[in-house]
Each structure stands twice: as C-alpha cells, then as structure tokens.
Amino acid sequence: MGLLVDGEWRDGWYDTAKTGGRFVRTESTFRRWVRADPAAPFPAAAGRYHLYVSLACPWAHRVLLVRKLKRLEGIIGLSVVSPLWGAQGWTFAGAPTGADALLGIEHLHELYTRADPAFTGRVTVPALWDRERETIVNNESADLIRMLDREFDAFTDVRLDLYPEALRAEIDAINERVYAAINNGVYAAGFATTQAAYEEAYDRLFAALDAIEARLGERRYLCGARITEADWRLFTTLIRFDSVYYLHFKCNARRLVDYPNLWGYTRELYQRPGVAATVDLEQCKRHYYGSHASLNPKGLIPKGPVLDLSGAHGRERLPAASA
C-alpha cells in the first residue's frame, strides 16, 4: 500500500499492532469544496477539474457513478490508474502512455506531492485535481459525490438530488451504519490480523447485511421509493461482494446471490442507464487478488463467479418514485 512521509514515498502495509489486529482506515486529508458560486475559492467550471480514480476501488466508483449519471464526462476530466498496486502504490504502469496523460506522472503519489511537497499520509483514490490552482481539492468520496450532484448543475441538464433535504437525517443515519459495518466492514474483516478482530468485523458485516435484506423486503430503496446517495454508496460494495469480498476477504457466511432482496436490488441498480459502463469486475479481481500479497501470495485470480447482472430483478413489486 505505502504512504508518503514528509513528501517521501515509503512502501509499507497497514500497521495493526497498536489496534488489536483491527484495520483502521485513515481520514481523508483534502476536504475543500467546489461550489457553484463563481466567487468561491474553487468555483465549478467546465474543464477546470480532473478526477483520478481506480476502476477497482469502490470509493472511487461512487464518484465515477455520479459523474456518469450527471453526464459530466465532458466537464470533468478523468485519469484511471492501473488495477495493480506495486512498490510505488497506485501507478499508471500498463496504460498506453505509461504515464498520466494530463500531468505526465507515473505514480499517483506524485500528484499528492505536487499538491503538497511535504505531504504525509496515504495516497488514495478518488482525488479531484484543480488544473488552475494545481492542487488536490478533495480526496473524500462522500464529499465528491455531493459536489458532482449539486455544484455542477449549470453544466448539465440532469437533476438527481441524491441528498434531498427531507431525507437527510435518514440518509446520514443509514450512511453511518453502512459505512462502518459494510463499506469499511469488508476491509475490517479482510485486513484484520487477529482472529478476534476478524470475527468481530465478520459478525458486524453479516448482521448489517441481514438487516438491510429485511429493509429491502419492505421498500424499493434504502430510504423508500427514490434512489439516494445511500443506495449508490452501498451499491459499489455490493457489486464487488461475490467476486472479491466473499473469498478474498473471507466474508463467506453468505453470497450476495443468497439474499433475494439484496441481489434483486443490486441488479436493479446495475441496470439503471449508464451504471454498467462504470462496473469492471475483471479490474476489481485483478486489483484485489493481484495486489494483496499477504492475502494471496501467488497472485492467482479466480475465473469466476458467473453473475447474471442483467437478469430480471423483480423489484417492480415495490413502489418507486417517477424519474
């Protein structure tokens, strides 16, 4: 995984010795906001911002999804790192140019040191780069999906409103539970280094999935009849579950396909216009199975599973708001 310390790259995995074997994710560092206001320090503008993502990463996938759903592809540029981590972390090795087409960098940590030559911390995706001020604006996916949803409306006809005011309290509560137990929960299980820490994360994960399975038996989406950001935040973990987390992270109590409501829900979201184009499960498998040598020393990548994501989802029985 590696990290920067005072601007110098160091290759190193997560240290769980001080946390009882528990994986603890570090907080995102860059938390500035793009605003629709032209007078803002980072005003929304066409062609000014550039998004760095991995197609394998569920956090980056959230932002890629909203960029697609909002039809902002021509407004916000995009660079995609290689699915494989190396000794230098996220890299552009394997791309046709061998370097990022925008800045000519070979490794993502170079983006971080351009923003802050003395940066200390993990180098993560997604990251939103400001071409004018030559800095990273924000590298927190939860912030970025709200920016893309609301602050760039002047440049697109699409109105999603994934965080409607009337549902914000409910969305926030769901996001908090889903993040802790599911989004980050699969990593807490997969990266645990003691049996107790692993079982703690495992039990919390499946208790949460069981609860959401029951919830989705009564409502079309997490907050009722309309899709919100809570659904897309959950979706990017669910779509990877059977291909990666079930086996690679030992989250093997049940597969996603064993949950009728969750599986139908995932297929329905996958079948929404534009969503499938953002999903690349082969890159996901290449990243996880090929990059985590401590979990998969030989780097062998499973051929399966075979998932029918285009089949009937059966969610029509529950009411949905009109688009």
Side-chain angles (χ1 to χ4, degrees):
M1 177 62 175
L3 74 163
L4 286 164
V5 178
D6 296 326
E8 296 293 327
W9 178 257
R10 298 183 185 178
D11 185 23
W13 195 243
Y14 294 101
D15 181 6
T16 59
K18 297 179 180 179
T19 57
R22 295 172 180 84
F23 165 71
V24 177
R25 188 176 298 278
T26 56
E27 296 288 332
S28 298
T29 305
F30 296 94
R31 300 295 297 271
R32 298 172 292 196
W33 279 69
V34 175
R35 300 289 186 186
D37 181 0
F42 296 94
R48 176 167 173 167
Y49 300 99
H50 195 85
L51 185 63
Y52 285 82
V53 303
S54 162
L55 299 182
C57 172
W59 317 100
H61 189 184
R62 298 171 172 182
V63 186
L64 194 62
L65 257 172
V66 177
R67 176 178 176 268
K68 181 71 172 179
L69 295 173
K70 288 285 289 189
R71 298 179 192 158
L72 292 171
E73 296 99 319
I75 305 301
I76 299 171
L78 184 70
S79 290
V80 180
V81 297
S82 165
L84 292 177
W85 273 335
Q88 295 288 321
W90 290 116
T91 176
F92 293 93
T97 61
D100 172 44
L102 177 66
L103 299 174
I105 57 176
E106 296 181 1
H107 311 292
L108 191 65
H109 64 71
E110 297 172 64
L111 185 78
Y112 279 67
T113 52
R114 285 198 182 204
D116 177 3
F119 180 80
T120 293
R122 296 287 178 183
V123 172
T124 60
V125 288
L128 188 68
W129 178 258
D130 180 357
R131 300 175 66 174
E132 184 172 310
R133 294 181 59 175
E134 296 188 324
T135 190
I136 296 172
V137 181
N138 196 295
N139 67 340
E140 170 52 58
S141 65
D143 296 346
L144 288 169
I145 60 176
R146 291 184 184 175
M147 287 182 222
L148 269 58
D149 181 28
R150 304 179 72 88
E151 306 298 339
F152 287 85
D153 281 354
F155 306 97
T156 176
D157 294 331
V158 179
R159 300 292 181 267
L160 296 177
D161 194 13
L162 296 173
Y163 190 54
E165 189 168 356
L167 295 176
R168 287 181 183 180
E170 185 176 11
I171 291 170
D172 289 343
I174 292 171
N175 284 346
E176 184 176 357
R177 294 195 299 270
V178 167
Y179 169 80
I182 301 176
N183 296 144
N184 196 56
V186 292
Y187 288 89
F191 290 165
T193 55
T194 65
Q195 188 70 29
Y198 160 70
E199 291 186 10
E200 175 185 284
Y202 178 101
D203 291 343
R204 184 171 60 243
L205 166 66
F206 283 99
L209 288 174
D210 291 348
I212 292 178
E213 170 72 7
R215 184 183 188 93
L216 291 174
E218 300 174 350
R219 50 180 67 194
R220 186 75 168 261
Y221 309 110
L222 291 178
C223 291
R226 64 177 294 176
I227 295 174
T228 69
E229 67 171 47
D231 297 293
W232 294 123
R233 286 172 53 130
L234 176 60
F235 170 80
T236 59
T237 298
L238 296 181
I239 197 68
R240 289 160 171 76
F241 197 88
D242 287 7
S243 295
V244 176
Y245 305 136
Y246 177 83
L247 176 62
H248 188 57
F249 282 173
K250 303 179 182 66
C251 298
N252 60 350
R254 286 170 290 283
R255 301 166 302 164
L256 188 65
V257 298
D258 297 324
Y259 287 102
N261 296 323
L262 273 166
W263 179 230
Y265 165 83
T266 301
R267 288 200 287 188
E268 182 187 1
L269 293 177
Y270 176 85
Q271 293 167 24
R272 300 280 296 185
V275 173
T278 71
V279 176
D280 192 327
L281 292 180
E282 288 307 310
Q283 284 224 18
C284 292
K285 292 195 294 183
R286 285 182 63 198
H287 166 66
Y288 286 95
Y289 292 104
S291 299
H292 300 157
S294 62
L295 302 183
N296 188 31
K298 299 297 184 182
L300 298 178
I301 301 172
K303 290 186 68 175
V306 176
L307 298 173
D308 182 11
L309 288 162
S310 299
H313 55 72
R315 301 294 292 168
E316 301 90 344
R317 64 184 177 80
L318 296 167
S322 58

